[in-house]
Amino acid sequence: MVIQPELQRSKKSVIIENQYPPVMATQEELVLSLVQDGEGKAWAAQRIGWRISVGEPVCFWEGVECDPVDKFTVVSIDIPGTDLSATIPPELGGLTSLHTLILSENEIRGRIPHEVADLPNLEIFNVADNLLTGSVPSFVSPNLRSVDLSSNRLTGRLPEDFGVNHKLLTSYDVMKNTLSGTVPDSVRELVNLQTLSLTKNAFSGLLPSGLGSLEYLRYLYLDNNYFVGAIPADLARVDMRNVGGGALEEVWLQENMLSGTIPAALADASKLVDLFLDGNKLTGKVPKDLCRPEINSDFFANVPDNGEQERNYCDSIACPANSAAFEGVYPCTPCEKPNFNPYLGRVGKCYDLNQEDILKTFHEATTLAGNWKGGVNWGEDGVDSCDYTGVTCDNSGHVISIELKNRGLTGTLPDGIGFLEYLQVLDLADNELQGFVPSDLRWAPLITLDISGNKIRGIIPPTLCLKEGINGNGNNGDYNCQHIACPAGTYSPTGREGEDYSMCKPCADGSIFLGQKECIASTMSGGIRHFKNGSDSGIGVPGILGITVALVLVGICVSFYVAVRLQRRRSYRGQAVSTSDYGDSGLRPNTVGVSSLPGSEGDGEWSIRPQDERLRANEAGVSSLPEATENGSSRRPTRSKRGPDVERLQRNSVGEASLPDSAEDIKFPIPAKGGSRNTSSSSYTNSAVRVGTFPVSEESVRHLNSKIKGVSDAEAAALANAVAAFGGDSDESYGSPEQSKKKSGDSVTGDKKKRSSKSSIWDYPDPLEPSGGSVSGGGGGGG
């Protein structure tokens, strides 16, 4: 629908096109498009104005504000917490002077129409705490200052250009949705950003690059996601203009899968008061300069300082290795043998190193859809673990091999499998495993690891890519993630690169799984064919039947559309069209309360959280962040304690930023953290998940050719075009294994120049290059 502004006498009107006949609508009628069906009329009856029949000018309606100069142009609609039940109508896009739209804490459902996202003067858009579905739109207005989409049911990825052309944006909040993928690099263009909140979603990959260049960033909330890799050392950037280490006050990174060590440079953030790192895979020690009383002071708030015992302020950042705590911070409890924990800030209990218990946990985690096939005896009474199906032990009774190929395993790989200290072979090929590859596998002395032919997503954890010996990894200095598994969007007959340098070849079907052994591609040229290891076969009878059914359905839809158009023409030629008390200009209110765009309240099974407790744990008990201590309440501060309140930003009348004074059609197996998980829900299908990440420029095609042997320019170009239509991510690459091994294989530092120009999924080393040992890989399973 295209909306053109026009002036008619002294009353502003717009023409709504793509309707037959074209409709001239006044501002009152455009605002009233929010009033839908009987519930909407009942809602409007309790408001001041909100009816044309009463003769009240729209500028005097409750929650509506007009331009103070011309006195009749609607510039703001602010109706939060009024129990409005409606969709966001595309007609609001006709209010081209609108700079504020606040519909938070209502029952707004459906999708966000592009007509609204395209409003040219929009400054504040707040639809938090509603029932919205669909994806996050790209906003057009260069005046945008605040976006709040938190606590809805949004899915898919952030727009790649979400940071472009928004120099004035100070707050961007999408917490508590089901968003996935990586965070676009365009975030670095939000030069005036003060608050970035991605809490409790399903984001993965590396932490967003360029965050350290945002000198006004004060509140960074990335917790409860699936981010991997190292914490950027330049997060607290220090330069000539910003000697104090930036404006950072709160950094929430807890409950991810970050690895490496804690950068000592974070201590340069002199204004830092909250730094939450618990619940990750970090190793080493907390830098002493971070152990100061003003950081995370809440954890010592109720602890008397009587001088009898010196406080260890490092424990308020993260509990040390070989200990654990209820929230991963003070008070910390040492692990008791045989339990152990190699990580900082372990939440809950230490890892159980008992071999029987690890195998029991593995069995439970991989029987999500029922027991395995093939007559297995795992878990049966009286059966020793060394006699389990597929298990081999040495003479001392230590498990050295687990081979469960094509046994129907479902679910995810548990972290504990990496703590089998004698495990050399782990073959889980050709099953239905989902989720990510746990970086904990680095602790096992693996020689063979086969996860091919499953539905595992993301990328290989960089710490695993640096591990020598797995499938020949590290031989002759060749540290290569493809030795573990082919990246998403590629395949090989074995699902990984062979020692004979047989490479993972690209698929053109946008595959998002690791370790694929075949590609399934559809083409109408020469019929539909099934590609497997380079061979193809013609279309079969089921394919013909499917095409026939599809053509019939298309014919029915076309016929229905033609009939509707004819009916509209008859109505225009003289048949009566009923109107309502909302005006008789021809713009009829939405009487069914359903958006014309896809999506409705039936799209998901999520419940809305109380709006005054933004970080309240999920009532279903799924949240990975504990809600209470043994004494009954969590000591972790809520965001509202210090975070900014951006829901009531005053309009910027001068157009300048207010800155601080200081310088898969698949079942998505990983829910947004902190949200209720219901795998039977239709909302659990995330068709917008796209992890196959191929560059699409000519230079990138050449890069594909040079890095992936056996790929011609034509194949790479065809692949790039296919993926361009499908979508993709961009991660960063990592540095050499020599750099990384200095931190016990956990701290991964990279060449800044390489990271800014290459995709981590494709920046794999060429085994024939003399440099030998460059490793790339972001991570999907733990860094």
Side-chain angles (χ1 to χ4, degrees), residues 363-392:
H363 182 246
E364 292 173 348
T366 55
T367 53
L368 185 64
N371 208 357
W372 309 332
K373 61 184 181 181
V376 295
N377 58 358
W378 284 56
E380 292 183 2
D381 293 338
V383 179
D384 186 80
S385 59
C386 290
D387 295 326
Y388 285 170
T389 304
V391 172
T392 302

Side-chain angles (χ1 to χ4, degrees), residues 86-239:
T87 61
I88 301 178
E91 288 82 359
L92 290 182
L95 300 171
T96 54
S97 298
L98 196 70
H99 63 65
T100 299
L101 181 60
I102 299 178
L103 305 174
S104 57
E105 302 174 23
N106 284 296
E107 296 182 12
I108 308 298
R109 58 194 179 277
R111 301 195 176 204
I112 302 173
H114 71 85
E115 291 88 347
V116 173
D118 291 346
L119 284 168
N121 296 295
L122 195 62
E123 297 181 18
I124 299 173
F125 184 72
N126 187 345
V127 291
D129 295 288
N130 279 293
L131 307 170
L132 291 169
T133 55
S135 59
V136 175
S138 292
F139 292 93
V140 170
S141 171
N143 303 322
L144 199 65
R145 291 192 294 129
S146 174
V147 174
D148 193 346
L149 311 177
S150 60
S151 297
N152 280 287
R153 304 174 181 177
L154 301 174
T155 57
R157 314 170 72 87
L158 291 180
E160 288 296 320
D161 61 349
F162 91 107
V164 177
N165 198 32
H166 295 311
K167 304 294 185 183
L168 301 179
L169 190 66
T170 60
S171 178
Y172 193 85
D173 190 347
V174 293
M175 69 172 286
K176 296 174 74 172
N177 283 283
T178 320
L179 300 173
S180 58
T182 59
V183 179
D185 287 338
S186 61
V187 68
R188 71 180 68 184
E189 299 188 37
L190 300 173
V191 293
N192 288 319
L193 191 67
Q194 298 180 31
T195 301
L196 178 62
S197 175
L198 310 181
T199 291
K200 292 185 179 179
N201 279 283
F203 291 111
S204 59
L206 303 177
L207 290 180
S209 61
L211 289 177
S213 64
L214 303 179
E215 59 180 306
Y216 298 108
L217 185 63
R218 300 170 62 193
Y219 307 101
L220 180 62
Y221 305 119
L222 306 180
D223 55 289
N224 285 270
N225 282 287
Y226 299 94
F227 289 115
V228 300
I231 299 173
D234 63 349
L235 187 58
R237 184 180 181 182
V238 179
D239 56 29

Side-chain angles (χ1 to χ4, degrees), residues 45-91:
Q46 301 175 11
R47 313 263 87 80
I48 298 174
W50 289 90
R51 290 179 299 281
I52 291 179
S53 58
V54 300
E56 190 86 30
V58 67
C59 298
F60 296 96
W61 292 4
E62 182 179 338
V64 178
E65 178 185 341
C66 291
D67 189 290
V69 178
D70 65 25
K71 307 295 184 182
F72 64 82
T73 302
V74 174
V75 296
S76 174
I77 300 176
D78 186 355
I79 47 175
T82 58
D83 296 324
L84 174 63
S85 178
T87 61
I88 301 178
E91 288 82 359

Side-chain angles (χ1 to χ4, degrees), residues 459-589:
I459 53 181
I460 301 299
T463 50
L464 203 57
C465 299
L466 295 170
K467 185 175 177 61
E468 188 171 358
I470 303 180
N471 303 339
N473 193 43
N475 290 352
N476 300 318
D478 179 21
Y479 290 85
N480 192 328
C481 294
Q482 293 189 28
H483 289 313
I484 312 300
C486 288
T490 67
Y491 79 99
S492 77
T494 60
R496 63 178 185 266
E497 180 183 305
E499 294 185 12
D500 58 351
Y501 299 124
S502 59
M503 302 297 292
C504 300
K505 297 183 179 181
C507 296
D509 60 355
S511 173
I512 65 174
F513 302 126
L514 295 175
Q516 295 301 286
K517 297 180 177 180
E518 63 182 22
C519 298
I520 306 294
S522 297
T523 176
M524 297 307 294
S525 176
I528 297 179
R529 299 180 181 272
H530 175 70
F531 290 81
K532 182 174 182 179
N533 299 339
S535 65
D536 61 77
S537 57
I539 187 171
V541 175
I544 296 176
L545 292 176
I547 294 175
T548 303
V549 172
L551 292 175
V552 171
L553 291 175
V554 171
I556 293 174
C557 293
V558 171
S559 300
F560 179 76
Y561 175 78
V562 171
V564 171
R565 297 289 292 180
L566 290 175
Q567 179 65 28
R568 288 183 177 179
R569 287 178 179 271
R570 285 195 294 269
S571 299
Y572 177 57
R573 290 170 183 168
Q575 297 183 18
V577 179
S578 62
T579 59
S580 70
D581 58 351
Y582 289 90
D584 54 3
S585 66
L587 180 63
R588 297 186 293 274

